[in-house]
Amino acid sequence: MSAELRRILFLSHSHAFRTFRVGSHHYAREFARRGAEVVHLSTPISHVHRRLGRVSRSEASRVPRGPHRDRDGVTHIVPRTTMPTPFGRLTAGRELQHHGIDTRFDAVLIDQPLLWDDSIRELTDRLVYRPTDLYPAGVKARMQKSIIAAADGVTATSSEVLRALGPLRQPHLVLGNGVDTAHFIASAEPERADVCIYVGALDRRFDWQQVCAWARARPRMRFVVVGPSPAPPVMLPDNVELSGGVPYSTLPTLLHSARVGMLPLSDDPLNAGRSPMKLYEYLAAGLSVVARATPVLGADESAGLFTYSDENSALAALDDALSHASPNVAGVERARQQSWSAKTDLLVDFVLKLPRR
């Protein structure tokens, strides 16, 4: 790690004590492994969210109170507040001071607009905004404008997310999500059974109707949906299985039991800018992939990625993915090129070239 990047602060939308990982978790790990002191501060757990049921008691109980240093050396902080951000009194600087952590950093990378306040600018000479989603309106959109006005650089997770920011005065680039290849890659193995799997969030951006349509059209196949969720909004065919949330450590074994990874994105406009982390995790685990096409997601049939644009083409894309070689060796090679280590190399190079304030 460069001597100029010894202390890094991530201000992130998601903490690391859930069953899934996001980009800031992987970047924090990579920086720490390279010898940097890394602090990862995420959206607080508020009393209001607890009362409204948006954060369950079991989830809150899994989150340490105060700083927690993980085995990679990253210090994680998940504040506890009365009001949700940005309506309470929380500021990143005060939270760090409260825990006795030095508030000067060589770089600050923020992906959660709701954590922004003007004092963050005082924490570093290199402030990088790392938008991971589209914010067309609302509080996040307003706060995003303030971040952009203050930031020294911008790294967006997709070309669509970058485009939506409008003209930028500062250096910027697209740095899509990557994959922890070593975690997901499988050893030599026989051809897999006809199992299709989805692992991830099950919110409005997930197309339950499409999964049901596939399952009805291919009743002899198993469709496994993995992710924390309330009851699905539709009646599921008998060959669709719900597995609930699973720990990140067990995902490789689960994926190695399947042949096809599904990315059934709904028609929610926010899907246009997504850089799905699961794409490369599927490929690294040796699966072929069937996904709805977006401005970001396009077909790469030689690597086992098949896309569809509507109901008429969705079944054909699934059948193409099922017919692809299994395990998907070509997909594994494509995933290797998108490792978090390689992404971190690019991020470090970008940050070091930013003008210091």
Side-chain angles (χ1 to χ4, degrees), residues 70-349:
D70 67 20
R71 63 184 180 183
D72 294 310
V74 178
T75 298
H76 296 271
I77 300 175
V78 186
R80 306 290 178 121
T81 60
T82 301
M83 297 295 293
T85 52
F87 306 109
R89 299 179 58 190
L90 174 80
T91 70
R94 282 202 297 264
E95 185 69 15
L96 294 169
Q97 289 176 339
H98 174 69
H99 297 296
I101 296 175
D102 183 359
T103 60
R104 282 296 298 178
F105 293 87
D106 298 318
V108 173
L109 295 96
I110 178 171
D111 63 53
Q112 169 57 293
L114 296 181
L115 286 174
W116 174 255
D117 69 87
D118 290 338
S119 67
I120 290 172
R121 180 67 265 187
E122 302 170 7
L123 306 182
T124 185
D125 293 331
R126 294 187 178 102
L127 175 64
V128 178
Y129 180 42
R130 201 179 70 83
T132 63
D133 217 334
L134 298 172
Y135 305 117
V139 176
K140 288 185 178 180
R142 294 195 299 272
M143 299 189 77
Q144 177 174 255
K145 290 181 180 179
S146 297
I147 301 173
I148 292 172
D152 302 306
V154 175
T155 63
T157 52
S158 74
S159 56
E160 194 69 10
V161 167
L162 183 65
R163 182 198 62 78
L165 299 178
L168 298 173
R169 59 168 179 78
Q170 60 272 86
H172 52 273
L173 84 163
V174 173
L175 197 52
N177 284 321
V179 60
D180 184 358
T181 311
H183 185 64
F184 286 94
I185 200 166
S187 57
E189 56 186 308
E191 184 170 337
R192 299 176 184 178
D194 287 344
V195 176
C196 299
I197 192 167
Y198 171 83
V199 178
L202 298 171
D203 53 23
R204 69 178 188 272
R205 294 188 286 186
F206 179 81
D207 190 349
W208 285 102
Q209 297 287 356
Q210 183 57 67
V211 173
C212 290
W214 279 330
R216 294 189 185 101
R218 297 293 179 263
R220 295 183 178 181
M221 294 184 54
R222 289 174 58 215
F223 292 81
V224 180
V225 177
V226 181
S229 173
V234 294
M235 184 70 70
L236 301 179
D238 292 340
N239 56 332
V240 177
E241 305 171 16
L242 301 182
S243 298
V246 300
Y248 181 75
S249 60
T250 67
L251 282 184
T253 300
L254 195 60
L255 294 180
H256 296 165
S257 69
R259 187 183 186 105
V260 173
M262 300 181 290
L263 286 172
L265 306 179
S266 72
D267 58 5
D268 189 297
L270 296 183
N271 274 328
R274 288 184 69 183
S275 172
M277 202 173 302
K278 286 294 168 285
L279 168 60
Y280 292 117
E281 292 177 351
Y282 289 158
L283 293 176
L287 284 74
S288 55
V289 179
V290 59
R292 182 169 185 166
T294 72
V296 176
L297 273 176
D300 184 353
E301 297 183 1
S302 63
L305 170 57
F306 302 88
T307 60
Y308 61 93
S309 56
D310 52 34
E311 294 180 7
N312 296 328
S313 58
L315 184 58
L318 174 66
D319 288 341
D320 287 341
L322 286 166
S323 299
H324 192 76
S326 176
N328 179 15
V329 176
V332 172
E333 290 308 308
R334 174 168 172 175
R336 287 186 193 276
Q337 299 168 16
Q338 304 295 329
S339 71
W340 284 114
S341 178
K343 301 284 184 181
T344 303
D345 288 340
L346 296 172
L347 181 58
V348 168
D349 183 65

